[in-house]
């Protein structure tokens, strides 16, 4: 039997990346002075008293995420305006200086604790760009930034992700200077030393930025990954971000189809990339990242969220869905309704399990039971290097197929470069769907098709495929 570990030197995920892949879907919480000034980017001159939630309820916020089936929450502990949602000892621009709760509030602590109470994982967003800080642009600010990162990564329990925003430098208050400050994205933060703080305090946390080091941006804020979307890319060429000349050159070398910009490279990844650097799709449930009353009627529907789920999680990335608390400090009812509707649509999508319903799964190679055990810790691999290894599913009677779910066994890397799904029409095979990437997960969902059998073919692989899941589901409300 082929030893699938004898493979080309494919990039593979780290333990922390594997744990992150397993999360699939979690939330973002954008909350700060902007919630009260009706802005998206605060200038940095807002008084701490502006932050005045009338009925802040961390458990309601985390409860909404939990009811929606999210695995965790990432909080904007400090957005570009520089106001800190925790009483940082390094600034006088935080909840400590606000009259909210007489300066004794700590939003970060309350959200972190509410997450723990409901078994959601917690993550932090700490904006590198700070439009309030007088020293922004000088080495003093970088020391300040690192001190804050130290506080957040050592005083709020275990974190699953630390989010570094790519927006950096521009005009701002800067302690009263009211000017424009640009920084050199390549050198200013000395990212290696900054990341070191997270590695030391939170060895299990992944770090997100446009270019990693652990998770990359998907290149848009629409919640949509490319098709295909590869978990691999060459990190060195991306650093420090999409505006960098090296990245432009690397991406120009890899332009395919009608790629418009380097963002398309982030969106799709590079199958020949040297690093495992999977994409995360960040998108808001409303048009803005922060709450605006004028957007109360523009909340995404559950069905719209399901569509994004199929285009993000269903293409092997994770979905980071933003839920902005309102001026009370709660998730509005309309948003909660959409989240719950989205959850039931998702559950309905996987409700009609046609394999559990007596189907026979066969394939040459290692035992196939692992494909349908609902776990990702084992894989099927073909016995001999076949030109087109295949897996057969015989339902034993006519069924209607609406959704197929596939997963590669990630510890052995992304090996599949092409696959096809055939259905049986009157005794002959007809191609029903085809794609290139599988990776963490591939969902194919659409109009139901009738068949007695299904065939999955691996049409292009760079090493024997190692597959950990094949799921087939019938039509229902979500199909
Ligand atoms: C962007 C920021 O500028 C937005 O305000 C928001 O935080 C989004 C998630 O990232 O780069």
């Amino acid at each position: 039997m082929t030893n699938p570990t004898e493979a080309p030197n494919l990039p593979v995920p780290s333990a922390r990346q594997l744990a992150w892949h397993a999360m699939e879907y979690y939330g973002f919480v954008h909350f700060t002075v902007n919630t009260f000034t009706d802005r998206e980017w605060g200038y940095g001159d807002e008084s701490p008293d502006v932050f005045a939630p009338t009925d802040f309820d961390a458990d309601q916020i985390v409860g909404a995420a939990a009811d929606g089936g999210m695995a965790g929450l990432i909080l904007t502990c400090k957005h570009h305006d520089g106001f800190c949602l925790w009483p940082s000892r390094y600034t006088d621009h935080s909840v400590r200086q606000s009259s909210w709760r007489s300066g004794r509030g700590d939003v970060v602590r309350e959200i972190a604790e509410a997450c723990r109470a409901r078994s959601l994982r917690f993550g932090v967003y700490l904006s590198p760009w700070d439009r309030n800080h007088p020293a922004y642009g000088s080495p003093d600010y970088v020391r300040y930034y690192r001190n804050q990162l130290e506080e957040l990564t050592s005083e709020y329990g275990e974190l699953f992700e630390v989010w570094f925003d790519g927006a950096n430098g521009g005009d701002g208050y800067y302690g009263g200077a009211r000017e424009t400050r640009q920084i050199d994205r390549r050198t200013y933060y000395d990212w290696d030393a900054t990341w070191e703080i997270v590695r030391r305090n939170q060895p299990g946390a992944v770090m997100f930025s446009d270019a990693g080091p652990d998770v990359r941006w998907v290149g848009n804020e629409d919640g949509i990954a490319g098709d295909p979307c590869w978990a691999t890319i060459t990190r060195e060429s991306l650093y420090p971000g999409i505006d960098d000349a090296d990245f432009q050159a690397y991406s120009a070398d890899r332009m395919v189809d009608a790629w418009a910009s380097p963002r398309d490279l982030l969106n799709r990844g590079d199958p020949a990339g040297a690093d495992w650097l999977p994409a995360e799709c960040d998108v808001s449930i409303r048009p803005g990242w922060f709450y605006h009353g004028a957007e109360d009627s523009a909340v995404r529907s559950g069905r719209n969220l399901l569509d994004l789920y199929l285009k993000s999680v269903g293409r092997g990335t994770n979905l980071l869905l933003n839920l902005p608390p309102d001026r009370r400090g709660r998730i509005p009812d309309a948003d909660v309704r959409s989240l719950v509707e989205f959850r039931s649509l998702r559950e309905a999508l996987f409700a009609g399990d046609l394999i559990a319903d007596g189907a026979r799964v066969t394939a040459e190679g290692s035992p196939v039971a692992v494909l349908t055990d609902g776990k990702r810790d084992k894989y099927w691999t073909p016995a001999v290097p076949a030109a087109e290894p295949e897996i057969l599913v015989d339902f034993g009677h006519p069924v209607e197929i609406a959704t197929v779910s596939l997963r590669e066994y990630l510890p052995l890397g992304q090996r599949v470069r092409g696959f096809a799904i055939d259905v049986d029409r009157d005794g002959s095979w007809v191609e029903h769907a085809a794609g290139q990437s599988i990776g963490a997960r591939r969902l194919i969902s659409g109009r139901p098709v009738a068949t007695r059998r299904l065939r999955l073919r691996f049409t292009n692989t760079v090493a024997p495929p190692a597959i950990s899941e094949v799921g087939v589901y019938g039509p229902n409300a979500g199909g």
Side-chain angles (χ1 to χ4, degrees), residues 28 30 40-41 79-80 125 163 165-167 221 282 289-290:
F28 225 167
H30 274 68
E40 278 290 304
W41 282 8
H79 202 250
H80 308 327
Y125 165 115
W163 221 88
D165 199 311
E221 294 180 340
D282 60 321
W289 291 100
F290 288 92

Side-chain angles (χ1 to χ4, degrees), residues 81-409:
D81 57 80
F83 179 72
C84 299
L85 296 187
W86 79 105
S88 170
R89 50 179 83 76
Y90 300 101
T91 183
D92 54 9
H93 193 60
S94 80
V95 281
R96 200 200 294 277
Q97 284 71 40
S98 165
S99 34
W100 176 63
R101 297 204 174 154
S102 316
R104 283 190 291 275
D106 184 343
V107 177
V108 180
R109 182 153 322 276
E110 288 198 40
I111 296 282
E113 284 175 0
C115 279
R116 251 185 299 284
R118 288 186 182 258
S119 301
L120 262 69
R121 304 194 65 197
F122 180 59
V124 298
Y125 165 115
L126 181 68
S127 172
W129 183 26
D130 188 322
R131 302 173 92 191
N132 170 265
H133 203 279
Y136 185 77
S138 78
D140 272 354
Y141 172 75
V142 178
R143 274 189 285 278
Y144 169 75
Y145 185 75
R146 290 196 184 142
N147 283 333
Q148 295 205 312
L149 197 58
E150 186 74 45
E151 283 182 315
L152 290 174
T153 57
S154 64
E155 295 174 21
Y156 291 90
E158 195 183 73
L159 305 176
F160 78 95
E161 179 160 337
V162 177
W163 221 88
F164 296 110
D165 199 311
N168 261 301
D171 67 326
Y173 175 69
Y174 303 126
R178 297 183 182 277
E179 59 191 12
T180 296
R181 294 185 183 173
Q182 301 298 349
I183 49 102
D184 180 342
R185 297 159 65 103
R186 182 176 284 274
T187 53
Y188 180 54
Y189 296 100
D190 182 3
W191 280 115
D192 285 341
T194 303
W195 292 338
E196 183 44 41
I197 297 169
V198 180
R199 288 286 191 250
R200 176 166 33 82
N201 292 335
Q202 298 286 342
V206 292
M207 288 186 265
F208 166 99
S209 82
D210 286 359
D214 303 309
V215 176
R216 73 174 195 265
W217 187 38
V218 77
N220 64 53
E221 294 180 340
D222 307 327
I224 300 177
D227 182 6
C229 183
W230 308 101
T232 49
I233 204 162
T234 297
R235 182 187 301 152
E236 208 171 277
S237 317
L238 310 183
Y239 184 81
I242 56 165
D243 299 326
D244 189 62
D246 286 354
F247 185 15
Q248 310 263 337
Y250 170 72
S251 108
D253 275 358
R254 279 159 182 77
M255 290 285 178
V256 295
D257 316 325
W259 285 29
S261 75
R263 288 177 185 230
D264 293 336
L265 178 65
L266 286 172
N267 196 236
R268 299 171 63 136
D270 177 1
D275 300 290
W276 191 271
L277 189 53
E280 179 186 79
C281 292
D282 60 321
V283 61
S284 186
I285 197 165
R286 289 162 171 255
W289 291 100
F290 288 92
Y291 175 82
H292 307 288
E295 295 178 354
D296 279 346
S297 55
V299 178
R300 290 176 185 274
S301 67
R303 202 155 276 282
N304 177 279
L305 294 174
L306 182 73
D307 183 54
L308 297 188
Y309 177 81
L310 292 170
K311 291 174 175 157
S312 55
V313 173
R315 293 177 180 173
T317 69
N318 278 4
L319 173 58
L320 172 58
L321 178 65
N322 181 56
L323 308 174
D326 60 16
R327 290 182 180 180
R328 295 172 306 168
R330 289 169 172 255
I331 306 298
D333 290 350
D335 308 48
V336 174
R337 271 196 302 278
S338 285
L339 279 180
V340 171
E341 186 196 349
F342 172 36
R343 184 189 188 145
S344 33
L345 289 171
R346 238 164 40 240
E347 286 171 356
L349 197 67
F350 303 115
D353 185 337
L354 297 173
I355 293 185
D357 217 13
R360 219 168 89 82
V361 180
T362 50
E364 296 215 352
S366 62
V368 290
V370 299
L371 291 171
T372 51
D373 65 358
K375 296 192 226 140
R376 299 174 215 180
D377 58 340
K378 298 197 183 71
Y379 59 89
W380 164 87
T381 193
V384 284
E388 241 184 39
E390 53 185 54
I391 297 173
L392 280 174
V393 184
D394 189 337
F395 302 101
H397 53 92
V399 297
E400 293 226 296
I401 291 169
T403 303
V404 176
S405 174
L406 307 173
R407 294 181 194 273
E408 279 186 85
Y409 178 74

